[in-house]
Amino acid sequence: MSFSSLGLIDPLLRALDALEYRQPTPVQSQAIPPILAGRDLMAAAQTGTGKTAGFALPLLQRLTMQGPQVAANSVRALVLVPTRELAVQVHDSFIAYSQNLPLRMAIAYGGVSINPQMMKLRRGADVLVATPGRLLDLYRQNAVKFSQLETLVLDEADRMLDLGFARELDAVFAALPRQRQTLLFSATFSDAIREMAGRLLHKPVSVEATPRNTAAKGVKQWMVPVDKKRKTELFLHLLKKKRWKQVLVFVKTKKGADELANALSAQGIPADAIHGDRPQPARLRALERFKSAEVRVLAATDVAARGLDIDDLPQVVNFDLPIVAEDYIHRIGRTGRAGARGDACSLVAADEVQQLAAIEALIKAPLQRIEEPGFLPDHRVPATDAAGRVVRKPKKPKKPKARA
Ligand code: AMP
């Protein structure tokens, strides 16, 4: 299968050639033809499957081949994303794919001044990539109009709901023309997502890039039982022993991410932290330094890490297990991308056994337990069974009382 056999036009094919995309990924070969044909689409696809190009390429083609020139303050395609980082990443992808096309791209997200975004929108944008809150601000200030809107894309729809954007999304949907193409991408399909899809999509084509709720293949997943208070020490030990070069490490809290980065820096290991409390420029800077290998360890919270695009990341570490099992899948989606082998290691303390069991139930497989000599925990992590349940040791039967 080639991109040209999917019916893509020459300017897009040349851009893909320049980016060295040789073959479409499964989600691309399934999604591109129906989107080109104007159909609505619902896709189960997580980060790393190539989903962005899956919707961006056919969308750019439709915008080029048909429709009017974009009017002032108008947008023709709107891509809604949950986080600033994903907005930047998706916008960058659109710019790369449209390098040979006469189309205008714009981006809008919160946490930075609104004025430059308003200025940019004055001339209109063929594609606007936005987070829901900032988009509504722009709309309410008449900086953006939707009368020319042809296509709506919801990227990482599950995450938008998880982050509490349901009301903002409804307000945006109410402002859009009913006659439009709608594409919904989500890593997981909860009842809430299905309900939203039922309301928004018209006879959608369904595409499934990865089996539901299973982790990417080619990723070695393992866990080390350890006492909570020794996690930093164990992480340092593994970093040296395994010679991890570029590690994305997930930490439960913002404070924890900062503490880990500081502890590593104190040992002379270049590390940085990325979380919601850090201003956007600092987060982007940390990400750039990590990508350029200036920083070896990037400690991140789930929200901040969502949408980070780092190619061929060899190592992901769960310093803490996520509270929501689905986040485990998103986290390890950072490694083993585009067919490369990846490694995901979890440091698990006894009080995280329920989270471990929930993850194992979700991925329908146990995580391989590898004990690290010198770090055997005082607080044993109970065993989990094949169904992802915690196995409690049966209590010893009481001795029958001797009869008097
Ligand atoms: P995504 O799932 O959209 O976040 O994409 C994951 C990564 O795969 C990105 O870095 C893309 O640039 C890259 N990618 C997407 N499609 C292809 C392809 N057909 N060939 C090679 N790389 C790709």
Side-chain angles (χ1 to χ4, degrees), residues 8-51:
L8 292 177
I9 53 177
D10 188 57
L12 288 172
L13 295 176
R14 280 188 282 126
L16 293 172
D17 206 39
L19 293 166
E20 300 187 345
Y21 287 16
R22 301 275 171 250
Q23 276 185 342
T25 65
V27 71
Q28 290 162 6
S29 46
Q30 290 175 69
I32 290 172
I35 299 176
L36 280 178
R39 297 284 305 268
D40 280 5
L41 181 114
M42 171 159 124
Q46 61 196 58
T47 306
T49 54
K51 66 181 166 72

Side-chain angles (χ1 to χ4, degrees), residues 303-324:
V303 169
R306 187 75 183 191
L308 296 191
D309 180 34
I310 306 153
D311 282 342
D312 304 327
L313 192 63
Q315 186 67 47
V316 166
V317 172
N318 295 306
F319 190 87
D320 300 306
L321 287 183
I323 305 289
V324 181

Side-chain angles (χ1 to χ4, degrees), residues 219-279:
V219 178
K220 180 182 169 193
Q221 301 175 57
W222 53 293
M223 63 83 104
V224 190
V226 62
D227 280 331
K228 202 172 209 67
K229 60 180 187 299
R230 296 194 67 199
K231 281 190 173 183
T232 303
E233 206 187 327
L234 173 62
F235 179 78
L236 264 164
H237 168 81
L238 290 173
L239 186 74
K240 287 179 190 153
K241 179 176 158 186
K242 305 272 181 191
R243 300 195 182 144
W244 289 333
K245 293 222 160 33
Q246 191 192 28
V247 193
L248 180 61
V249 48
F250 287 93
V251 185
K252 193 166 53 186
T253 61
K254 298 165 188 170
K255 187 162 164 268
D258 280 336
E259 281 172 2
L260 181 63
N262 290 340
L264 293 167
S265 301
Q267 297 274 332
I269 295 160
D272 208 339
I274 180 164
H275 55 65
D277 275 358
R278 295 196 67 186

Side-chain angles (χ1 to χ4, degrees), residues 291-303:
K291 281 187 174 179
S292 66
E294 212 181 304
V295 158
R296 183 172 165 198
V297 180
L298 186 64
T301 57
D302 282 301
V303 169

